[in-house]
Amino acid sequence: MSEITIEQIDKISQVLRDQERPLKERFRALFTLKNIGGDRCITWIKCCFKDPSALLKHELAYCLGQMQDVNAIPILIDVLKDQKQEPMVRHEAAEALGAIGGESAYCVLEDFKNDPTIEVAETCQLALARLDWLKNNPSTDKKSIYYSVDPAPPSEEKDVENLKSILLDDKANLFDRYKAMFALRDLKTENSIKALSEGLSVGSALFRHEVAFVLGQLQEECSVPALIKALEDKSQNEMVRHECAEALGAIATEDCLKVLEKYLSDDKRVVRESCEIALDMSEYENSPEFQYANTLLEVS
C-alpha cells in the first residue's frame, strides 16, 4: 500500500468524519480505510466513536476487529467500557477484541463476561471461548473463505441434520452453536442454508443477528423469505432487524429491494440506516463497479 499517500488517507477520513455527508458515502470511506490499514487509518476511525449513528459506530468497531491490529485494542477497550455507548456498539467492540486477541483484550473480556446487557455478556463469553480455543489450536487462526475473522471456527461435523440440531438447541453451549453455524455456512447447500434460516426465530438476539450476518455472506436467494420475515417483525431486537436488512442488500433481488425501500422510514434509526446502506450495497451488487469501498478513487 506504499503508493497511497498520507494526504489521500486524510481526504478519505474527511468523508468518514463529515456528518453532513450521506451515510452510504461515510461507510464506503470507512471500508476504504479498513482496506488500507495502519496506524493513521486506525486513528481516524477512532475519531468517530462519538458519532450519533449507532450503526456507524458499530461498523467502526467491526472494521477495527477485522483489521486485527493490536494498536486498536485500547480504543476498543474504551468503547466496551463506555456504558453510554449503545449495546450493539459495545457488543461489536467486544467481538473485535476477540478477533484481535492478546492479554489486555482477554482481561477486559473477562471483566465484562457478566455484563448486565445480555448481548455484551454473550459476546464477551464467545470472544473468550474463541481465544481459549486458539491457545490450543494456534495454527488455525485464519480468515474464513468469506475473508472474515469469525467469532468461532466452523465445526468439523459435516452432517447437516446434526449441525442443525446443535444450531437450534437453546440449551447447547453458545460457542458450539456458533461453530455449527459457520460449518453450515461453509457447506453452502440448499439444506444448510434452510437450516441456518430457521435460526432467525430461535435463541438470543446476539445469536439471531449472527445468523442474519452469515446469510448475508452466503447471498443465496432461498434465505430471502426468512430474512424478510425477521426484518418485518417489530418484536425482533433492532440489531437482528438491522443485520437482516444488510443481508437483504447483499442478496439484492427485486423482493429484497422492495422491502428495503419500505423500511427506509422505520421508527428505529438503526433499521432505517441499515436499509439505506443495504440499498447502496445492492446497487453495487447489480453494477459493474469493481469495488464497494472505492473512496480512494473518488478523492484521488
Side-chain angles (χ1 to χ4, degrees):
M1 287 296 194
S2 58
E3 70 275 10
I4 299 174
T5 66
I6 289 175
E7 181 183 20
Q8 287 174 313
I9 291 173
D10 291 349
K11 284 182 178 179
I12 296 166
S13 79
Q14 288 172 12
V15 177
L16 173 62
R17 291 178 289 128
D18 186 353
Q19 294 183 24
E20 300 301 315
R21 299 289 286 262
L23 192 61
K24 62 184 181 181
E25 293 181 9
R26 300 177 72 195
F27 261 60
R28 287 184 178 230
L30 169 60
F31 279 87
T32 304
L33 292 173
K34 176 185 83 75
N35 292 341
I36 295 170
D39 288 351
R40 198 170 191 87
C41 292
I42 290 173
T43 298
W44 286 128
I45 291 172
K46 174 185 176 181
C47 291
C48 295
F49 275 109
K50 295 187 184 300
D51 197 271
S53 170
L55 181 65
L56 179 67
K57 291 183 289 184
H58 157 279
E59 218 66 25
L60 299 174
Y62 172 77
C63 286
L64 289 176
Q66 294 297 302
M67 290 163 77
Q68 290 192 295
D69 190 323
V70 294
N71 291 317
I73 289 177
I75 304 163
L76 292 164
I77 288 175
D78 287 344
V79 174
L80 175 57
K81 288 181 174 180
D82 185 357
Q83 300 288 341
K84 294 180 181 178
Q85 289 282 11
E86 295 85 351
M88 67 182 290
V89 180
R90 295 182 62 225
H91 131 72
E92 201 62 52
E95 187 170 300
L97 288 167
I100 299 171
E103 185 176 351
S104 59
Y106 194 95
C107 290
V108 78
L109 289 166
E110 277 280 356
D111 290 342
F112 286 90
K113 68 181 181 182
N114 296 312
D115 193 86
T117 302
I118 186 63
E119 296 86 359
V120 175
E122 286 185 339
T123 305
C124 291
Q125 292 160 20
L126 277 166
L128 288 166
R130 177 184 187 273
L131 295 177
D132 286 337
W133 182 84
L134 283 173
K135 286 180 184 177
N136 298 318
N137 302 272
S139 63
T140 56
D141 188 16
K142 58 184 180 181
K143 292 194 175 185
S144 74
I145 58 175
Y146 295 91
Y147 305 103
S148 58
V149 183
D150 296 326
S155 170
E156 295 182 3
E157 173 66 65
K158 300 300 180 184
D159 183 83
V160 171
E161 288 303 314
N162 289 342
L163 289 168
K164 177 181 174 181
S165 178
I166 298 168
L167 179 80
L168 302 180
D169 185 358
D170 259 343
K171 295 181 180 179
N173 177 276
L174 190 59
F175 190 64
D176 289 337
R177 295 176 75 192
Y178 267 56
K179 288 171 68 178
M181 185 190 308
F182 291 112
L184 287 165
R185 178 196 65 183
D186 291 355
L187 287 172
K188 199 179 181 180
T189 65
E190 184 174 353
N191 285 339
S192 73
I193 295 166
K194 286 181 177 179
L196 284 168
S197 297
E198 289 188 40
L200 288 172
S201 58
V202 300
S204 67
L206 181 74
F207 174 82
R208 285 177 273 126
H209 120 286
E210 195 68 27
V211 170
F213 176 80
V214 164
L215 291 173
Q217 287 184 312
L218 286 164
Q219 296 180 289
E220 292 292 333
E221 193 170 344
C222 62
S223 67
V224 168
L227 287 165
I228 290 177
K229 181 179 178 181
L231 173 59
E232 291 183 329
D233 183 357
K234 295 293 185 77
S235 69
Q236 286 269 24
N237 185 292
E238 62 183 35
M239 69 187 290
V240 180
R241 296 181 65 222
H242 120 75
E243 206 66 70
C244 288
E246 295 199 3
L248 290 166
I251 300 169
T253 65
E254 186 176 345
D255 286 343
C256 295
L257 304 188
K258 285 181 180 178
V259 77
L260 290 170
E261 290 279 358
K262 177 181 176 182
Y263 286 94
L264 280 171
S265 57
D266 193 82
D267 57 353
K268 296 290 187 181
R269 175 174 177 169
V270 70
V271 176
R272 294 196 304 271
E273 291 183 341
S274 295
C275 290
E276 177 189 340
I277 296 302
L279 286 166
D280 186 50
M281 284 290 294
S282 72
E283 288 181 17
Y284 160 70
E285 294 293 340
N286 290 298
S287 76
E289 191 170 343
F290 177 68
Q291 185 181 16
Y292 173 74
N294 65 353
T295 310
L296 180 60
L297 300 176
E298 295 174 359
V299 301
S300 298

